[in-house]
Amino acid sequence: MEQHPQGSRLVIGIGNSLRGDDGVGALLAEQVGGRSVQQLTPELAAELAELEEVLFIDAWLAPAGGAPQLVEVIPAGAGAPDSHRLEPAQLLAISKALYGRAPAACLLQVPAHAFEHGNTLSVEVQAALPRAQALMQGWLRRHA
């Protein structure tokens, strides 16, 4: 799904929708007209540099009992990122280094449990969806 930012913010769901719970980021982003990617790559840095705010959504290998959470993301410090798969903080750092700016960013982490082939979410992720959706909607309202 290729979506362009509406205004100065963007929701980016990260993950593979054909790998069980890994697709939760794409599912949530698509619910609000966001963009889904299988992984973050350096090519996204130019697009991020033009935004004021971005919300990343990704599956998270949480400890037992973990619940969806929204965390602030700041550009990563020095270090050589993997050029093929980046974490949100690394992508923000690339945007800042190459284009002189990076948007304010948050990461919505959704606890994930099953990554087998298939497009079905685990019972645990399905149970966590209402909380994840509420966090996403809250972020959208605060950043409208």
Side-chain angles (χ1 to χ4, degrees):
M1 174 180 178
E2 184 73 23
Q3 292 281 331
H4 294 285
Q6 297 176 347
S8 62
R9 69 178 185 186
L10 179 63
V11 175
I12 300 176
I14 307 163
N16 184 340
S17 60
L18 298 176
R19 294 297 302 242
D21 291 350
D22 195 41
V24 71
L27 173 74
L28 289 168
E30 290 171 1
Q31 289 177 354
V32 294
R35 180 175 180 178
S36 64
V37 297
Q38 286 197 14
Q39 61 188 12
L40 298 177
T41 60
E43 293 79 13
L44 291 170
E47 187 172 351
L48 291 186
E50 297 182 15
L51 299 172
E52 293 300 319
E53 300 162 321
V54 62
L55 173 64
F56 298 100
I57 307 172
D58 201 5
W60 169 46
L61 290 172
Q69 63 182 20
L70 194 61
V71 296
E72 182 181 5
V73 180
I74 57 172
D82 182 327
S83 63
H84 297 288
R85 187 193 187 293
L86 301 171
E87 295 299 322
Q90 294 169 313
L91 182 57
L92 293 173
I94 290 171
S95 178
K96 191 167 188 168
L98 293 178
Y99 303 100
R101 67 175 313 278
C106 283
L107 170 63
L108 174 54
Q109 297 176 307
V110 182
H113 304 277
F115 296 91
E116 295 84 22
H117 290 285
N119 59 1
T120 303
L121 298 175
S122 68
V123 171
E124 295 88 354
V125 168
Q126 290 179 40
L129 279 177
R131 174 72 179 141
Q133 289 166 323
L135 289 169
M136 177 178 64
Q137 291 298 332
W139 183 89
L140 289 168
R141 280 191 299 277
R142 285 189 304 278
H143 300 277

